[in-house]
Amino acid sequence: MLPGELEIHDVVGIGFGPSNLAAAIALEECDQPLDAVFLDRKPGFAWHPGLMFPGAEMQVSFTKDLITMRNPRSRYTFLNYLSEQGPGRLGKFINLRTFYPTRVEFNDYYAWAAAQFDKQVRWNTEVLDVTPVPAEGGGTELLRVVSRDRSTGETCSMLTRNLLIAPGGTPNVPDGAELGERVFHASETRERLARSFDDRSAPHHFNIVGSGQTSADVFMHVRRTYPNARITTNIRGFAMRPEDDTHFVNELFLPEFPDWFYRQDSEFRQKIIDDYGLAAHTGVSYDVIPQIYREYYEDQSAGIDSLALHRFTELVGARSDDGRAVATYFHLDSGETSQVESDAVVLATGYRYPMPIPALAAVDEHLRMETPQRYAIRRDYAIESAEGFMPRIYLQGYAEATHGFSEVLLSLMPLRAAEIVQSITENASVESR
């Protein structure tokens, strides 16, 4: 490398949540040494901090951690994390007789693993631009990644042969909802409640939108934290439905499933996604539903009537207005509209993975789209590119339509990471010949 030239990295990762953390582990355990650096907007590791409610449990087994499904002998397993937390921790966890740790504990496990890679991660750093670097003989040889330190404002450029994008989902905000002091996405729940509702004995009124696991967790947290509060829950259907984690359906998350799913035509793949959505997106843990139902029953039987479930209601508007939140609903059964005033509207409305990705705007002309809203993604999770475009851009979390449900969940995360790393090493071997 000549003086003044930028260092060329084998891998630059955007985001350092669980997906790219799993990739960092796969890179470390790879036989071929590769240089990698990761950039993340957050000041330090945090996994859904706004949803870290005491007692909320994981929906997947601890065996679906960062590595066990691929290499159970790895030092990065959840069980090894427990063993390193001091005498007795592993034994006491075993004595719980559960496969489902709390989210708080699993987040601590993730943070423990992430700390092993601190020298490779630049926290508090946002990516401003990704641009192509021309090759001498034509085409594109490398990518230039421009980033900014959010604390100092200093910008930095680096070059890479491979870009690994895993920023996590973008909070989904329904049309008509205006985010503000009294209207916020569920991913901010803990911070917003602590800031605006510090009096836990006050008769606040919380308006929750959504019928999935996040809605259920928010409900239980608010119910436990604010015993005198009113809670209105609004769902588009008739009832909260349990996640489908029955044995045969769970084979959707076996390691061989993405291969089979990828080979199907797009229409058939979409049918599978539509038919089994309760396995991945909209279902509530089976043991949480009776807890919520009991809260409603006891509230009603005691004549308190502080809990309300509004069925067949679709949010069409929400705004903060002079110390209150005003939500407008369309009633799917009657065709009428109504307004609900409350102290806060919590949007438990999930996440989305918008494409094209804004950070890739400068290289979009080199990338192939399967539809106007979706990249053409190869089996190895790389975006298909035009001839002469040599860098690889890999996506984690964006390929549900082509790779199946596990793409947006934790189940096959270590296997996906290993497949990506294998693709990177194989491509590097070809280029070096």
Side-chain angles (χ1 to χ4, degrees), residues 176 178 205 207 209 230 232 234 310 313-321 324-331 334 336-343 345:
E178 302 173 18
H205 180 196
N207 187 355
V209 180
R230 293 170 54 207
T232 302
N234 305 272
H310 292 172
T313 55
E314 183 177 59
L315 184 75
V316 294
R319 69 183 191 278
S320 303
D321 184 12
R324 61 179 182 168
V326 180
T328 303
Y329 290 96
F330 176 73
H331 297 268
S334 67
E336 298 176 351
T337 59
S338 65
Q339 285 192 338
V340 175
E341 293 188 6
S342 62
D343 293 302
V345 173

Side-chain angles (χ1 to χ4, degrees), residues 326-406:
V326 180
T328 303
Y329 290 96
F330 176 73
H331 297 268
L332 299 169
D333 52 348
S334 67
E336 298 176 351
T337 59
S338 65
Q339 285 192 338
V340 175
E341 293 188 6
S342 62
D343 293 302
V345 173
V346 185
L347 303 173
T349 46
Y351 299 83
R352 57 190 179 86
Y353 291 80
M355 293 181 275
I357 298 171
L360 298 180
V363 295
D364 272 349
E365 62 180 294
H366 303 283
L367 306 178
R368 302 192 188 282
M369 303 293 292
E370 184 171 333
T371 73
Q373 294 79 36
R374 189 170 73 239
Y375 294 114
I377 301 177
R378 298 164 18 138
R379 176 61 186 87
D380 63 359
Y381 301 95
I383 303 175
E384 291 186 14
S385 56
E387 186 176 353
F389 188 82
M390 295 171 58
R392 299 287 183 93
I393 301 176
Y394 297 88
L395 303 181
Q396 298 205 74
Y398 290 83
E400 182 182 65
T402 51
H403 291 65
F405 291 113
S406 60

Side-chain angles (χ1 to χ4, degrees), residues 224-258:
R224 292 165 176 165
T225 308
Y226 301 93
N228 298 317
R230 293 170 54 207
I231 304 175
T232 302
T233 302
N234 305 272
I235 62 177
R236 295 184 75 255
F238 178 77
M240 290 184 176
R241 294 187 290 176
E243 65 172 337
D244 190 345
D245 64 348
T246 51
H247 299 72
F248 288 105
V249 171
N250 252 347
E251 293 198 346
L252 289 166
F253 304 101
L254 290 177
E256 59 267 26
F257 181 76

Side-chain angles (χ1 to χ4, degrees), residues 270-286:
Q270 188 58 50
K271 182 180 187 313
I272 297 292
I273 289 173
D274 293 341
D275 287 350
Y276 295 97
L278 284 173
H281 295 293
T282 57
V284 180
S285 292
Y286 193 82

Side-chain angles (χ1 to χ4, degrees), residues 141-197:
E141 181 179 16
L142 300 166
L143 294 173
R144 182 187 304 273
V145 181
V146 182
S147 62
R148 177 174 58 203
D149 187 311
R150 301 181 71 199
S151 58
T152 66
E154 182 180 355
T155 60
C156 171
S157 293
M158 61 186 71
L159 302 178
T160 186
R161 298 180 179 90
N162 300 280
L163 191 64
L164 183 50
I165 299 179
T170 300
N172 181 46
V173 179
D175 292 340
E178 302 173 18
L179 298 179
E181 186 61 30
R182 299 283 174 166
V183 180
F184 51 89
H185 191 264
S187 58
E188 300 182 77
T189 299
R190 283 196 66 185
E191 307 95 289
R192 293 300 193 105
L193 294 183
R195 185 170 70 213
S196 302
F197 302 97

